[in-house]
Amino acid sequence: QVQLVESGGGSVQAGESLRLSCAASGDANSRACMGWFREYPGKEPEKVAAVFGGSGNTYYADSVKGRFTISQDNAKNTLYLQMNSLKAEDTAIYYCAAGRPTVHCEYNYWGQGTQVTVSS
């Protein structure tokens, strides 16, 4: 099994930056797919950024492309989301997720979520 522990959320002004961290543990093969999702009230989580460990391929939602960067520190088993030039529209609960790749990545494990609030 995989366990995920998130940190780094908070309240900032528009234009500022935050870095979210996700400490992962468990079988590496069960967390080859890792990503960040965000959830708005009453809606399903939206994929913000993802990385496939086997290839290093990354994905970014159009709304965050050029502003957010996903990265991994394998030595520390930690996933990061660097969020720059934050906008009020980025306000949401952010979740770290991980899973085992098949034909597509299936995110079986989720963190507790961390609130990001951006004020204009």
Side-chain angles (χ1 to χ4, degrees):
Q1 283 191 276
V2 173
Q3 291 184 317
L4 307 171
V5 180
E6 300 168 323
S7 62
S11 181
V12 298
Q13 296 291 318
E16 296 182 344
S17 300
L18 281 174
R19 188 179 73 165
L20 305 183
S21 299
C22 174
S25 61
D27 178 36
N29 290 328
S30 296
R31 49 181 170 88
C33 297
M34 298 198 72
W36 291 96
F37 293 73
R38 64 187 179 188
E39 184 181 50
Y40 300 108
K43 298 182 179 179
E44 296 294 320
E46 170 195 28
K47 187 188 293 183
V48 175
V51 61
F52 177 59
S55 66
N57 290 342
T58 57
Y59 162 87
Y60 294 97
D62 289 340
S63 59
V64 307
K65 193 172 297 183
R67 299 189 296 120
F68 291 9
T69 303
I70 189 170
S71 62
Q72 293 177 299
D73 186 332
N74 291 330
K76 296 181 178 180
N77 292 311
T78 302
L79 180 75
Y80 301 99
L81 183 67
Q82 179 67 43
M83 304 185 293
N84 297 328
S85 301
L86 284 163
K87 305 175 180 179
E89 304 91 270
D90 296 318
T91 297
I93 300 174
Y94 285 73
Y95 296 89
C96 174
R100 188 169 187 168
T102 54
V103 177
H104 301 97
C105 290
E106 193 73 27
Y107 294 94
N108 307 118
Y109 307 98
W110 295 76
Q112 77 282 2
T114 184
Q115 177 70 46
V116 172
T117 302
V118 185
S119 301
S120 60

